[in-house]
């Protein structure tokens, strides 16, 4: 009896696991609620970024305009694009794709995965200066944000230029998250070194794992997202852009009473001691040289080949705070010049906010676009999409 009791749960677990594995993807897709895509537009859930199903569904609909970025997307206020365009009954819905630590290399992989859906697709890509540190994205920011599913699919992707694909794989293989995944590492190594027999052997395991990861993606898609602290307010409804700028100034003024750098009071209260200790700490720093430029170029190459239609948004730094830390203006201006040239050379459009470094309430804190900045972005988005 004891043996039966011991083996019973194990057998049940194996049966359940086999059931999960053997359920066809098409069956799972039919179970996704109709409102799931709409809900995910503002969820900022990692499962959506690291999966493929919801983004693929979003890209099928012209009414969704993806906004790719990083941590600024979760800085909610009445002027945030998700609130502004909803309250003004826009014909499109912003779809937010980004979280803290997501930089060019993460977006590269995502764009490569969906390259066959990007033709003429209008999108907004927010580029942050802080991405462009000397050595590029570090392990700490890469590992929790990269998608194993997208990484496994990359060698089998026929939509991306071969040289661009190889450069992306060569970059990905430098990270421990890829090196420590035996199958993925061996798959990349075989592909990059033209070891066809080895590649064919590991591709069998890789494709089986891709199937499992796709099912995992769909199982997570069936779950409801956690509620966000998203700000919904109709105070931005039916206003001119000039009225909204004045409103954003007043809104920011009330929330930046304790810092000469126009930093949100809640942020300043939490980071006050750190900020005080940063005086003169960034002398000699620069965003002029970084591996990130190569990662960013891969993004441009993928989007250009896919015939996508992006609007790049060049976010400034908080000039007063950067001066306080000793970060040279030259090291900022060289970044603005270089990033604009890359975008121009690829034939894409950008909204340039680099001259707003000292504009009060344009930035919410030391690095994130804020109240007045959102107003400028909303106006440029609307012009671009029209």
């Amino acid at each position: 009896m004891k043996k039966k009791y011991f083996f019973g749960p194990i057998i049940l677990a194996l049966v359940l696991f086999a059931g999960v594995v053997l359920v066809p993807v098409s069956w799972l897709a039919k179970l996704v609620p109709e409102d799931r895509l709409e809900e995910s537009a503002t969820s900022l859930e990692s499962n959506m970024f690291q999966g493929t199903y919801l983004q693929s569904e979003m890209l099928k609909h012209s009414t969704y305009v993806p906004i790719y970025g990083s941590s600024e997307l979760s800085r909610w206020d009445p002027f945030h694009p998700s609130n502004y365009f909803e309250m003004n009954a826009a014909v499109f819905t912003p779809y937010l794709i980004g979280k803290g630590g997501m930089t060019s290399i993460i977006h590269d992989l995502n764009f490569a995965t969906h390259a066959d859906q990007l033709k003429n697709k209008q999108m907004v890509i927010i580029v942050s200066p802080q991405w462009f540190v000397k050595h590029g994205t570090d392990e700490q920011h890469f590992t929790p944000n990269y998608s194993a599913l997208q990484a496994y699919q990359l060698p089998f992707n026929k939509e991306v230029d071969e040289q661009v694909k190889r450069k992306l794989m060569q970059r990905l293989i430098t990270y421990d998250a890829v090196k420590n995944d035996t199958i993925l590492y061996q798959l990349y190594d075989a592909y990059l070194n033209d070891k066809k027999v080895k590649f064919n052997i590991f591709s069998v395991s890789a494709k089986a794992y891709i199937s499992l990861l796709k099912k995992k993606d769909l199982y997570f898609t069936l779950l409801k997202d956690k509620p966000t602290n998203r700000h919904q307010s109709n105070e931005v409804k039916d206003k001119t852009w000039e009225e909204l700028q004045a409103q954003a100034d007043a809104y920011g003024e009330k929330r930046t009473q304790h810092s000469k750098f126009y930093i949100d009071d809640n942020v300043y209260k939490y980071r006050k001691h750190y900020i005080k200790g940063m005086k003169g700490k960034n002398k000699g720093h620069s965003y002029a040289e970084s591996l990130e430029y190569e990662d960013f170029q891969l993004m441009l190459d993928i989007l250009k080949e896919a015939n996508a239609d992006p609007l790049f948004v060049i976010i400034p730094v908080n000039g007063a705070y950067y001066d306080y830390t000793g970060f040279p203006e030259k090291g900022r201006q060289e970044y603005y010049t270089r990033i604009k040239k890359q975008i121009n050379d690829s034939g894409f459009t950008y909204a340039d906010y680099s001259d707003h470094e000292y504009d009060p309430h344009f930035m919410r804190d030391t690095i994130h676009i804020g109240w007045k900045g959102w107003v400028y972005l909303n106006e440029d988005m609307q012009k671009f999409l029209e």
Side-chain angles (χ1 to χ4, degrees):
M1 290 296 291
K2 286 185 179 180
K3 288 184 178 179
K4 287 183 181 179
Y5 179 78
F6 176 77
F7 286 111
I10 295 177
I11 294 170
L12 178 60
L14 290 172
V15 170
L16 290 173
F17 177 74
V20 168
V21 171
L22 295 174
V23 172
V25 168
S26 58
W27 289 13
L28 293 173
K30 291 178 182 178
L31 299 176
V32 177
E34 289 185 7
D35 64 348
R36 187 67 182 85
L37 185 59
E38 181 182 358
E39 177 192 58
S40 67
T42 55
S43 71
L44 294 170
E45 284 283 343
S46 298
N47 293 324
M48 180 268 286
F49 309 145
Q50 296 171 321
T52 59
Y53 179 79
L54 282 170
Q55 288 191 70
S56 291
E57 290 299 303
M58 176 271 294
L59 290 168
K60 293 175 184 177
H61 296 80
S62 60
T63 53
Y64 284 105
V65 177
I67 304 179
Y68 300 89
S70 50
S71 54
E72 71 282 333
L73 295 178
S74 63
R75 269 52 184 183
W76 307 105
D77 61 57
F79 311 96
H80 190 289
S82 290
N83 183 64
Y84 173 78
F85 288 111
E86 179 182 348
M87 294 303 157
N88 286 280
V91 296
F92 59 87
T93 299
Y95 194 97
L96 310 180
I97 303 173
K99 59 172 284 199
M102 287 180 67
T103 55
S104 300
I105 189 70
I106 304 297
H107 292 303
D108 292 347
L109 189 54
N110 195 4
F111 287 135
T113 301
H114 299 284
D116 62 335
Q117 292 184 282
L118 299 182
K119 186 176 182 179
N120 299 324
K121 183 66 181 179
Q122 289 187 299
M123 62 183 70
V124 175
I125 303 173
I126 300 175
V127 186
S128 297
Q130 296 76 29
W131 296 359
F132 293 81
V133 293
K134 187 172 183 179
H135 299 293
T137 306
D138 60 19
E139 199 76 43
Q140 182 181 356
H141 292 94
F142 176 82
T143 301
N145 288 311
Y146 107 105
S147 166
L149 171 56
Q150 294 173 7
Y152 267 92
Q153 289 177 313
L154 184 59
F156 308 105
N157 190 326
K158 304 296 184 184
E159 301 296 327
V160 179
D161 175 80
E162 181 65 18
Q163 292 305 311
V164 172
K165 182 164 72 170
R166 283 178 172 272
K167 285 179 182 178
L168 180 52
M169 291 172 68
Q170 286 165 349
R171 183 76 173 100
L172 290 168
I173 210 168
T174 65
Y175 288 100
D176 289 342
V178 175
K179 288 179 184 176
N180 295 335
D181 186 328
T182 303
I183 296 175
L184 184 59
Y185 179 83
Q186 295 295 338
L187 187 72
Y188 277 23
D189 177 70
Y191 189 97
L192 292 170
N193 293 291
D194 297 316
K195 302 174 183 176
K196 293 183 180 180
V197 174
K198 181 181 177 182
F199 179 78
N200 289 335
I201 292 171
F202 279 96
S203 66
V204 175
S205 299
K207 288 178 179 179
Y209 192 45
I210 287 171
S211 179
L212 284 175
L213 289 173
K214 283 185 175 180
K215 286 175 183 175
K216 177 186 174 184
D217 179 25
L218 272 166
Y219 280 119
F220 276 118
T221 301
L222 294 174
L223 302 175
K224 287 189 70 67
D225 291 325
K226 297 175 185 176
T228 69
N229 60 346
R230 180 188 170 202
H231 191 120
Q232 290 180 285
S233 169
N234 64 3
E235 60 190 289
V236 296
K237 188 176 180 181
D238 298 329
K239 299 283 199 312
T240 66
W241 297 117
E242 290 75 16
E243 288 172 336
L244 284 168
Q245 285 183 28
Q247 190 176 344
D249 263 328
Y251 191 92
E253 183 68 30
K254 290 179 182 178
R255 287 159 178 79
T256 56
Q257 299 293 312
H258 299 99
S259 167
K260 61 183 179 181
F261 307 120
Y262 300 106
I263 296 173
D264 181 282
D265 287 337
N266 291 328
V267 176
Y268 185 72
K269 181 180 178 181
Y270 177 70
R271 303 277 286 173
K272 181 166 58 177
H273 295 295
Y274 171 81
I275 290 170
K276 285 183 176 180
M278 284 302 296
K279 186 174 183 178
K281 293 286 186 180
N282 287 336
K283 291 179 180 178
H285 283 220
S286 175
Y287 292 140
E289 299 295 331
S290 171
L291 283 177
E292 189 72 24
Y293 288 104
E294 296 175 25
D295 294 342
F296 186 69
Q297 188 60 50
L298 288 175
M299 182 195 299
L300 294 169
D301 293 341
I302 292 167
L303 292 173
K304 187 172 183 177
E305 187 189 6
N307 290 312
D309 186 13
L311 170 67
F312 287 91
V313 181
I314 300 173
I315 300 297
V317 302
N318 181 325
Y321 175 73
Y322 267 61
D323 289 345
Y324 168 80
T325 67
F327 197 111
E329 183 180 0
K330 184 175 183 289
R332 288 131 57 178
Q333 293 301 325
E334 288 178 345
Y335 155 74
Y336 297 134
T337 299
R338 187 169 179 180
I339 203 72
K340 283 184 278 189
K341 185 178 187 305
Q342 277 189 272
I343 297 169
N344 261 330
D345 289 349
S346 295
F348 293 131
T349 305
Y350 60 81
D352 180 14
Y353 302 146
S354 58
D355 59 350
H356 288 278
E357 280 196 352
Y358 298 97
D359 190 350
H361 315 123
F362 194 93
M363 303 297 287
R364 182 191 186 102
D365 46 42
T366 60
I367 60 174
H368 298 109
I369 189 172
W371 314 288
K372 196 171 177 181
W374 285 134
V375 175
Y376 277 85
L377 177 54
N378 292 335
E379 182 177 7
D380 285 329
M381 272 185 66
Q382 185 150 307
K383 289 177 181 176
F384 172 70
L385 295 168
E386 287 176 350

